[in-house]
Amino acid sequence: MAVGARSGHDEPEERPDQHGESSVAMRDDSPGRQDADPADAEGETGQSGKDAKKPRSFWKELPLLIGIALLLALLIKTFLVQAFSIPSDSMMNTLQRGDRVLVDKLTPWFGSEPERGEVVVFHDPGGWLEGEPTPDPNVVQKFLSFIGLMPSAEEKDLIKRVIAVGGDTVSCKEGGKVVLNGKPLDETAYIYPGSTPCGDKPFGPITIPEGSIWVMGDNRQNSLDSRYHQNLAGGGTVSNDGVVGRAIVVAWPVTRWATLPVPDVFDQPGLSQAMTVAPGAAGLAGALPLVLWRRKRLTSRHTAQ
């Protein structure tokens, strides 16, 4: 009996061992515990290290950023705006020697043409800058000019004010004012103080060919503009295709920052040639109903017969 009793007490002493083995098995199967398999932990760490991307250093990304900036500058210069330097006194006081202007190159891409009163930059039509010295920029200046960060020093460009466009008739007698489509222009708002409209070089009347413009400097007695090139191809006019764009703002120096709007004198009534053709267009519009009515009446007569 005593032996039987001891055997009965021995069974409970073995059960904790069984429960203990079961607990260890559960700890071994549970993720994230200290007793987890070291090989599995190492595998998970290695995989997460591969997935995480190490950020590139600033110095490695700097050339890429510079390249993008240069590309944007080139695109802006080609399609949007470009800086130009004023090399002479021909546009004083509107523009002074050494000013930097920004030229709008975007609107011409959409078919916009120069308008009266605008200050425009245009390529030499041929012979206008003959004999003028051309600067010899260094390599850095050439590169900065190419991408538009500096005004071009090699291109032979000019800057003047548009006085007349295609279809206009313009003239100026000695001692008088510039006359555009029969309207005298009051140019006191932009002409250089002390200058005469054309005292040094009277001209006209001249009818401007379609697709061309007539340009003059604001400093009339110091500007070799359209008046002085009537013996060249185009008769002193400039083709619209040769216009780079409209100067919209003086960007440098900051003390001379200013916009370049169209003077009010070019907005006066009756200045546009379109006004002269309006009566003809109105007459045609009025005659059209009469012609249609007459044709209808004749058709009705033939039908009745």
Side-chain angles (χ1 to χ4, degrees):
M1 293 292 294
V3 173
R6 290 177 59 186
S7 300
H9 288 291
D10 288 341
E11 291 179 2
E13 292 178 1
E14 293 176 359
R15 288 175 184 173
D17 293 338
Q18 294 176 358
H19 288 294
E21 291 175 2
S22 177
S23 299
V24 171
M26 291 178 63
R27 286 197 298 267
D28 289 342
D29 295 337
S30 300
R33 300 296 294 266
Q34 293 181 355
D35 296 330
D37 189 350
D40 294 339
E42 182 178 355
E44 294 174 1
T45 305
Q47 185 65 27
S48 61
K50 292 179 181 178
D51 293 340
K53 294 183 178 179
K54 184 179 180 180
R56 299 174 64 179
S57 67
F58 171 77
W59 297 109
K60 289 183 178 180
E61 292 186 350
L62 183 60
L64 178 61
L65 295 176
I66 294 176
I68 294 175
L70 294 178
L71 179 60
L72 290 176
L74 180 60
L75 292 175
I76 290 173
K77 173 220 171 180
T78 304
F79 299 105
L80 300 180
V81 295
Q82 184 175 357
F84 285 86
S85 176
I86 306 304
S88 69
D89 300 326
S90 66
M91 284 296 293
M92 288 180 64
N93 272 343
T94 304
L95 300 173
Q96 296 184 6
R97 186 190 297 263
D99 284 352
R100 303 298 197 269
V101 297
L102 296 182
V103 174
D104 170 25
K105 301 178 68 176
L106 177 63
T107 51
W109 286 89
F110 294 94
S112 175
E113 295 184 348
E115 297 183 3
R116 306 178 194 92
E118 293 180 345
V119 177
V120 297
V121 172
F122 56 95
H123 299 309
D124 183 356
W128 285 40
L129 293 176
E130 186 175 356
E132 292 289 331
T134 302
D136 186 18
N138 57 40
V139 177
V140 176
Q141 291 173 327
K142 288 182 179 180
F143 176 72
L144 294 178
S145 297
F146 174 73
I147 62 175
L149 296 181
M150 278 187 64
S152 175
E154 292 183 305
E155 293 181 2
K156 290 189 174 183
D157 297 324
L158 302 95
I159 184 167
K160 304 291 181 186
R161 188 180 297 277
V162 179
I163 301 299
V165 298
D168 290 343
T169 299
V170 61
S171 64
C172 183
K173 296 181 179 180
E174 187 173 359
K177 296 181 177 180
V178 172
V179 179
L180 179 61
N181 297 331
K183 298 286 185 178
L185 298 182
D186 181 5
E187 301 183 282
T188 54
Y190 55 86
I191 201 172
Y192 183 67
S195 289
T196 59
C198 62
D200 57 322
K201 188 70 172 177
F203 65 93
I206 298 173
T207 300
I208 312 304
E210 292 294 338
S212 299
I213 56 176
W214 179 270
V215 296
M216 300 174 72
D218 290 353
N219 189 2
R220 296 290 162 80
Q221 276 64 63
N222 193 11
S223 176
L224 297 179
D225 45 41
S226 290
R227 299 170 294 161
Y228 288 89
H229 301 99
Q230 298 179 56
N231 60 325
L232 299 176
T237 62
V238 178
S239 172
N240 290 351
D241 294 336
V243 175
V244 177
R246 175 187 174 184
I248 53 177
V249 64
V250 180
W252 186 263
V254 292
T255 55
R256 284 188 43 75
W257 190 92
T259 57
L260 299 171
V262 174
D264 293 338
V265 66
F266 291 96
D267 294 329
Q268 61 177 301
L271 188 63
S272 175
Q273 283 285 23
M275 299 296 294
T276 63
V277 301
L284 179 62
L288 184 60
L290 181 62
V291 173
L292 294 176
W293 173 81
R294 187 171 181 274
R295 287 176 61 86
K296 183 177 180 181
R297 184 177 179 183
L298 290 175
T299 302
S300 300
R301 286 182 178 179
H302 286 299
T303 303
Q305 292 175 358

